[in-house]
Amino acid sequence: MATLTDRYVDATLRGVPQAKRADIERELRASIADAIDARADSGDSSADAEVAVLTELGDPARLAAGYADRPLYLIGPELFLDYVRLLRVLLVVIVPIASVAVLIAQLVKDGPTFDHIGTVVGTAVTTALHVAFWTTLSFAVLERLPAGERPVTGRWTPDRLPEVRESGRTGIGELIGETLWVAAVVTALLLAPRLSPEQDAAGDPINILHPWLWESGFVYLLIGLLVVGLVAPFTSYAVGRWTAARAVGAAVFEVAAPIALIWLAATDRIINPAFAAEVAWPSDMAKWINISVIVVGVIGIGGALVKAVRRAIRR
Amino acid sequence: MDEEDLVAGHLQELRRGTVVLACLLILRRPNYGYALLDLLERGGFAVDANTLYPLLRRLEKQGLLRSDWNTDESRPRKFYETSAEGSKLADLLGRDWDDLTTAIRTLRDNP
């Protein structure tokens, strides 16, 4: 039967290059035997001595890494900052592009359904996972190349310092977030007439939203207002500095869409009564939806005003 | 982290480089892994076996140590000996150690 020492030596050699194994085995066995003898001489039973010596030597994988000169970490301090920076850029660029591309492909395909939202979200999550995994794997491999072969981004110099961030300036992340949000809402509005869980007797989808929006063309005005609302963050990102006039102008653009929404809710033009009847909503359901929309609209206006005041003060 | 760990951490940091110098000095007379470990421990250089054994091979690869299998006894052992290059490095590290000692003493005596 294999002794503890046999098992220990075998476990260590598994992590050592083939060419070095014989020599390391011979030396390691001698060292372990010497240590056991020394303990036995001072009174331990040989079984106890073996356990104590092997315990002191510790995890054989760690010892093997020492022999093979392998790092015991995935990505070391030299590459870690490059890794984090690259990962951040790749995520911010690739995930939105992939999501939008899939969304467009879905819309071009035959009649849209609710599945499309799931497909887009699924694509975003899968893409993010792939980007994170492959970037991490590449850097883990780089870490294990001989030092000279590493493509490093070069020595840091003060030239690489970023500009001081101006307070109140919109960051690229915030800009992408707001743009994606508006794109999602506009897409939902455009799809609403065809995208519905309920069908009428003829098999056509019943729009959740009030048909007046399409009869009057108001929905296009609403879309226009939403897109115009993006002028503020884009200006903020591009210009970076605010003046009192710019802050007021941005606020006007930002409150336009919420005001339109509040007006629609107040005049009961949000929910299609035919849809409410089809899904047998309680009679005051539409009223509560209108109230919620008004509350959200008021919060939106309040937020825009607070932002405007801050921008005007901090310019 | 309590105070004991803090002190132990700083002590370990301070002693980290001294093991190599101690090995190069001890191995001016050929010796094998376990005996060296024992000598280092007696000399007050606490080093773990799983650090020392790979370290000896690294120093040999760098040309600072030479090794030879001794098969005269019933248990064959790998004996290491400091090479000429290793002796030169030991002299250099030793001088640096003396300089540091002087520098630290100067700092201590002139508050």
Side-chain angles (χ1 to χ4, degrees):
Chain A
M1 207 187 88
T3 63
L4 281 180
T5 304
D6 293 335
R7 285 159 61 191
Y8 190 93
V9 171
D10 186 63
T12 307
L13 293 178
R14 258 178 245 169
V16 171
Q18 188 83 48
K20 295 187 187 173
R21 278 187 195 165
D23 196 62
I24 287 178
E25 171 167 15
R26 210 170 166 206
E27 185 183 16
L28 184 58
R29 278 188 184 279
S31 298
I32 292 173
D34 283 338
I36 291 175
D37 287 352
R39 278 192 178 261
D41 285 348
S42 56
D44 284 4
S45 79
S46 65
D48 286 350
E50 187 178 29
V51 170
V53 166
L54 295 182
T55 307
E56 210 168 301
L57 266 174
D59 194 327
R62 188 178 293 275
L63 182 61
Y67 279 130
D69 235 342
R70 256 198 318 271
L72 287 173
Y73 44 78
L74 198 59
I75 297 165
E78 204 179 317
L79 290 176
F80 185 74
L81 288 175
D82 286 339
Y83 163 68
V84 171
R85 283 185 194 130
L86 185 65
L87 184 59
R88 197 185 291 150
V89 169
L90 289 178
L91 283 177
V92 168
V93 172
I94 293 178
V95 174
I97 289 177
S99 309
V100 170
V102 168
L103 179 67
I104 293 171
Q106 297 276 316
L107 293 181
V108 168
K109 250 173 38 183
D110 50 358
T113 65
F114 270 112
D115 297 345
H116 292 173
I117 298 161
T119 310
V120 171
V121 172
T123 305
V125 172
T126 316
T127 311
L129 283 176
H130 268 284
V131 168
F133 174 78
W134 293 108
T135 311
T136 309
L137 185 69
S138 313
F139 270 85
V141 170
L142 268 188
E143 183 65 59
R144 279 146 188 82
L145 290 180
E149 294 175 25
R150 284 185 198 167
V152 192
T153 49
R155 215 178 165 72
W156 185 88
T157 64
D159 292 340
R160 293 194 183 182
L161 285 172
E163 291 300 318
V164 174
R165 277 185 298 179
E166 288 168 78
S167 60
R169 179 170 182 164
T170 308
I172 182 74
E174 202 184 332
L175 192 67
I176 291 172
E178 291 200 31
T179 310
L180 285 181
W181 166 242
V182 168
V185 173
V186 168
T187 311
L189 281 174
L190 287 175
L191 292 181
R194 294 188 286 165
L195 186 89
S196 173
E198 297 296 330
Q199 272 103 40
D200 61 15
D204 290 325
I206 306 176
N207 196 342
I208 302 175
L209 300 175
H210 205 291
W212 178 84
L213 291 167
W214 278 264
E215 286 157 15
S216 63
F218 194 89
V219 68
Y220 301 107
L221 176 66
L222 195 59
I223 289 170
L225 292 178
L226 283 168
V227 173
V228 160
L230 281 177
V231 168
F234 268 93
T235 314
S236 169
Y237 177 72
V239 180
R241 288 184 72 83
W242 287 97
T243 62
R246 275 187 198 147
V248 172
V252 171
F253 285 132
E254 279 177 327
V255 298
I259 288 177
L261 275 178
I262 291 174
W263 179 74
L264 285 176
T267 53
D268 198 17
R269 286 182 174 116
I270 300 271
I271 295 297
N272 185 357
F275 181 84
E278 181 68 31
V279 292
W281 270 348
S283 54
D284 53 357
M285 184 72 168
K287 190 183 82 186
W288 283 111
I289 291 177
N290 284 336
I291 292 175
S292 324
V293 169
I294 292 175
V295 169
V296 169
V298 169
I299 292 174
I301 293 173
L305 293 181
V306 169
K307 258 195 258 176
V309 171
R310 274 207 203 133
R311 286 164 175 168
I313 293 172
R314 283 194 197 156
R315 72 195 139 93
Chain B
M1 189 195 273
D2 55 36
E3 200 175 335
E4 210 170 300
D5 287 346
L6 188 92
V7 173
H10 283 296
L11 275 177
Q12 198 189 2
E13 199 71 22
L14 189 63
R15 292 179 172 192
R16 180 159 297 167
T18 58
V19 173
V20 169
L21 178 54
C23 285
L24 292 176
L25 292 175
I26 294 174
L27 291 176
R28 286 177 295 185
R29 298 236 303 263
N31 218 330
Y32 57 95
Y34 180 76
L36 178 64
L37 185 73
D38 197 43
L39 283 172
L40 283 170
E41 223 157 81
R42 281 167 208 263
F45 299 91
V47 57
D48 291 330
N50 60 5
T51 312
L52 181 69
Y53 297 153
L55 174 70
L56 289 174
R57 286 180 171 266
R58 207 169 312 134
L59 293 178
E60 186 190 2
K61 206 173 149 195
Q62 292 171 349
L64 303 169
L65 296 178
R66 268 195 313 268
S67 74
D68 218 351
W69 277 95
N70 181 328
T71 46
D72 297 347
E73 290 176 59
S74 63
R75 183 176 294 158
R77 293 192 178 105
K78 194 174 189 179
F79 274 70
Y80 293 91
E81 186 181 7
T82 305
S83 67
E85 211 177 319
S87 291
K88 252 196 284 180
L89 183 72
D91 286 347
L92 192 132
L93 291 178
R95 274 200 303 279
D96 205 58
W97 178 259
D98 293 338
D99 290 349
L100 275 174
T101 311
T102 316
I104 294 286
R105 187 167 296 138
T106 315
L107 284 179
R108 241 193 340 224
D109 296 345
N110 301 289

